[in-house]
Amino acid sequence: MLRGALAVAGAVALRPLVAATPAAAEPAGAAAGAVVVRRFGRYEVLALLDAHGPFPGTAQAAFPDATAADWERARRLDPAAFGPGDTWELDFRCYAVRRPGGRVTLVDTGIGPVGSPASGWAPVPGRLPAVLARAGIAPADVETVVLTHLHEDHYGWSVTPEGVPVFPNARYVVQHAEVAALGPTRTARTYVVEPLLRAGQLHEADGHSVLAGRARPGGGAITLLPTPGHTPGHQSVLVDGGGDRLLVTGDVLVHAVQLATPAVRYLFEADPETARRSREQLLAEARRTGAVLGTAHLNRPFVRPWTPAGRTPPH
C-alpha cells in the first residue's frame, strides 16, 4: 500500500538490511486486540494485528480529492484513524483462515522484522510471529500464504532478510499480473519473489481461482478475486463459509474515507480509475450478499460495507 509513502513524508532514507530480528514477545498492552476471532460457517477467521502507527504525512495529502463531508463520514466510521494535525493512524493487519482439520491459509504477512523493506517508514518490528503463536498457529501449520499484492507492508514476514521463507510448508499465492509488472530491480522482486522462486514455494494464480473448498451454494470455499488498480495484480479473498461471507479487502480500500466515499482517490494507487471500479464493485457485492469486510488498515478488522444512502454508519 505505502510504497510511495516516502514521497509524502519527504526524504526519509531506507535503512540498510540487517540480520533478521527474532520474534519478540508482544509489548505491554499489545496483546489486547492483537487477535480478533470470528466464525464464518465452517471457517474460523483470525484478524492478526502486526503493528499500528502513523502514516507519513497528512491524510489530506494521501487523499487529495476528499471533501469535508467525506472526512466527516469517515470519522464516524473509524474515529481512531484521525490523529493530531491531520495525521492518519492505521493498523497493519493480516488474516488467518483456519479450516476444519486445522489447516491454515494466511492472507498477507505484514511489515516484517527490522531490516525488512518497510523499515524506512513503518513501525517495525511487526509482531506477527508472536501473534500467530498466541493464536496457536506455528509457521509449519500454514499451508497457503495469499499475498494480496507486493507492497512492502503486505509481504514483510514472507521471508527473512536473508531470503529464507518464514512459512516452510506453504505455497505463496500471488497473481501473475502482479509479478509480471515488477521490473528486474524492484525490491519486491529481489526481496520476496526471487527467494520464493528459489525455494519452489511461489505459485502464480491467473485471475479468479478457488483455493479451498467448493464455490457452490451452501458449500464453503476460499476464493481469490482479482481487484486490480491499487497495483496491477491486486487480489482480494472471499471466505464463504456456506452462507456467512467475509471479503478480505487487501488495499482495495485503505482508509475509512474510501469506505464512506468509494470514488475518493488514494494518491499511491497505480491506476486510480481501475482502483475505483474495483472498490465500487467489491463494496456493491458485499452489500448484495451481506458480506463482512476484513480490512488491512482500518482500526477495526471486521466492518459492514457503508450504504451511501444510509444515515448511520455500520457497526
Side-chain angles (χ1 to χ4, degrees), residues 91-177:
D91 283 350
F92 297 84
R93 188 178 297 106
C94 313
Y95 288 83
V97 184
R98 191 146 45 190
R99 313 208 308 270
R103 294 166 294 175
V104 174
T105 295
L106 182 64
V107 182
D108 286 333
T109 63
I111 61 175
V114 172
S116 70
S119 291
W121 58 270
V124 297
R127 55 183 185 264
L128 180 63
V131 174
L132 283 168
R134 184 168 175 255
I137 299 173
D141 296 336
V142 178
E143 67 172 10
T144 306
V145 175
V146 177
L147 297 175
T148 59
H149 62 297
L150 294 174
H151 278 174
E152 57 201 26
D153 56 319
H154 289 259
Y155 65 65
W157 288 106
S158 294
V159 299
T160 69
E162 294 77 26
V164 179
V166 171
F167 303 97
N169 299 327
R171 61 171 182 156
Y172 289 71
V173 182
V174 66
Q175 286 288 324
H176 171 73

Side-chain angles (χ1 to χ4, degrees), residues 93-276:
R93 188 178 297 106
C94 313
Y95 288 83
V97 184
R98 191 146 45 190
R99 313 208 308 270
R103 294 166 294 175
V104 174
T105 295
L106 182 64
V107 182
D108 286 333
T109 63
I111 61 175
V114 172
S116 70
S119 291
W121 58 270
V124 297
R127 55 183 185 264
L128 180 63
V131 174
L132 283 168
R134 184 168 175 255
I137 299 173
D141 296 336
V142 178
E143 67 172 10
T144 306
V145 175
V146 177
L147 297 175
T148 59
H149 62 297
L150 294 174
H151 278 174
E152 57 201 26
D153 56 319
H154 289 259
Y155 65 65
W157 288 106
S158 294
V159 299
T160 69
E162 294 77 26
V164 179
V166 171
F167 303 97
N169 299 327
R171 61 171 182 156
Y172 289 71
V173 182
V174 66
Q175 286 288 324
H176 171 73
E178 188 77 354
V179 177
L182 295 174
T185 61
R186 285 280 296 274
T187 301
R189 181 173 291 280
T190 58
Y191 187 87
V192 67
V193 170
E194 290 177 356
L196 291 176
L197 281 171
R198 288 194 295 269
Q201 291 180 237
L202 186 71
H203 175 80
E204 295 184 26
D206 192 7
H208 185 282
S209 175
V210 177
L211 279 182
R214 296 182 179 180
R216 55 182 174 80
I222 302 172
T223 305
L224 304 179
L225 304 176
T227 47
H230 181 75
T231 60
H234 189 284
Q235 61 185 346
S236 301
V237 180
L238 171 63
V239 180
D240 186 345
D244 298 323
R245 294 159 64 96
L246 172 72
L247 279 165
V248 183
T249 62
D251 279 1
V252 168
L253 59 93
V254 297
H255 189 288
V257 74
Q258 292 184 301
L259 182 59
T261 311
V264 167
R265 171 177 61 97
Y266 174 49
L267 187 62
F268 302 115
E269 290 165 341
D271 183 338
E273 182 59 24
T274 300
R276 178 190 61 79

Side-chain angles (χ1 to χ4, degrees), residues 43-56:
Y43 299 120
E44 181 184 57
V45 178
L46 300 87
L48 308 169
L49 185 63
D50 187 44
H52 176 89
F55 182 87

